[in-house]
Amino acid sequence: MPNSNAKLHSNHRGGREASRRELVSRSLQSAQHCLENQDFGTAYAHYLLVLNLAPELKTTVKETFQFTLFKWAEELDSLARIQDLFNCYEQALELYPNDEVICNSMGEHLFRMGFRDEAAGYFHRAVKLNPDFADAKENFYRVANWLVERWHFIMLNDAKRNLTYLKAIENAVHSGSKSVLDIGTGTGILSMFAKKVGASFVYACELSKTMYELARDVVAANNMEREIKLLHLKSLDIEIPKHIPERVSLVVTETVDAGLFGEGIVESLIHAWEHLLLQPK
């Protein structure tokens, strides 16, 4: 009797597997038929079904799936079905999370829609996945030119200014300020100064996704990624102990530009003083 039950279970599993293979085969045929008729939306739906039922076919159908996705995305874009377009890319990236071509294409759509900061994130991700991907590199540099203000380069090359900041941070740290928060870190230079002169704990926040990613790269290139905690947050959104374990003893910032009236440096500094900075006894 046990042998009979085992055989029944085996036959049942075999039947389910045969049904799965049959459904996958029919869906692939239907997808191909839809492509021939330029019905990209239905073809895309068939490929989603195939890839969910048969993940082992990801490599085999990858190029055709990409083509279908891109064509369907163009249609959705032309119809102003923006949310559906984003949903399709999210589904695609769940299936192919390390696909630089899909990341780059998503970035291109975002850039055309005016979401430049978000686009930069996808372009940066594509370059990380494949440093030799020329299209993604060109796109990333192009969007970075929109997002990285020219004064960043001027300031970074101002040796006198940098030395003044370094000495000021050094004096504060040597006077007992061992935990530092860098508001609007940009490239991360002030955070690295703080760590270099002996701060025990350094935290940095940056609202811009592009500058946050840039800071991560700069900090990593200087072998400080384990010593500086970078947060993609506005300073007003930092919570203790969720984001940083306790109040810091020193706040540094360089956000002295039009942000004084816009992003709110005054608000940020007041917030940091009241909620993030240790109060003098």
Side-chain angles (χ1 to χ4, degrees), residues 20 24 48-61 95-96:
R20 183 187 74 90
V24 168
L48 281 183
L49 177 62
V50 168
L51 290 168
N52 279 288
L53 287 174
E56 68 273 12
L57 294 179
K58 282 185 179 180
T59 302
T60 305
V61 303
L95 292 166
Y96 295 96

Side-chain angles (χ1 to χ4, degrees), residues 178-182 190-192 194-195 199-204 227-230:
K178 296 299 184 182
S179 56
V180 180
L181 171 64
D182 180 6
L190 299 187
S191 295
M192 290 187 291
K195 198 64 195 176
S200 301
F201 305 100
V202 180
Y203 312 98
E227 302 176 53
I228 298 172
K229 183 175 181 179
L230 288 165

Side-chain angles (χ1 to χ4, degrees), residues 97-105 107 119-144 213 217:
N98 298 318
D99 190 295
E100 69 274 18
V101 178
I102 294 176
C103 286
N104 183 65
S105 180
Y122 280 97
F123 293 145
H124 182 266
R125 181 175 168 185
V127 173
K128 282 287 190 182
L129 290 168
N130 182 1
D132 297 323
F133 189 9
D135 287 349
K137 286 198 291 187
E138 181 180 343
N139 284 331
F140 181 69
Y141 294 144
R142 178 163 55 104
V143 74
E213 295 289 355
D217 287 346

Side-chain angles (χ1 to χ4, degrees), residues 71 124 129 154 160 183 221 254:
K71 287 293 187 181
H124 182 266
L129 290 168
I154 298 171
K160 182 178 179 181
I183 295 177
E254 216 172 10

Side-chain angles (χ1 to χ4, degrees), residues 8-51:
L8 284 172
H9 284 301
S10 177
N11 289 339
H12 182 61
R13 286 195 301 270
R16 284 191 302 177
E17 177 60 22
S19 296
R20 183 187 74 90
R21 288 198 300 265
E22 177 66 19
L23 181 56
V24 168
S25 176
R26 288 184 178 181
S27 294
L28 283 172
Q29 292 174 8
S30 296
Q32 188 59 43
H33 178 72
C34 290
L35 285 178
E36 291 170 359
N37 290 283
Q38 298 189 352
D39 182 358
F40 300 114
T42 307
Y44 176 75
H46 280 299
Y47 277 119
L48 281 183
L49 177 62
V50 168
L51 290 168

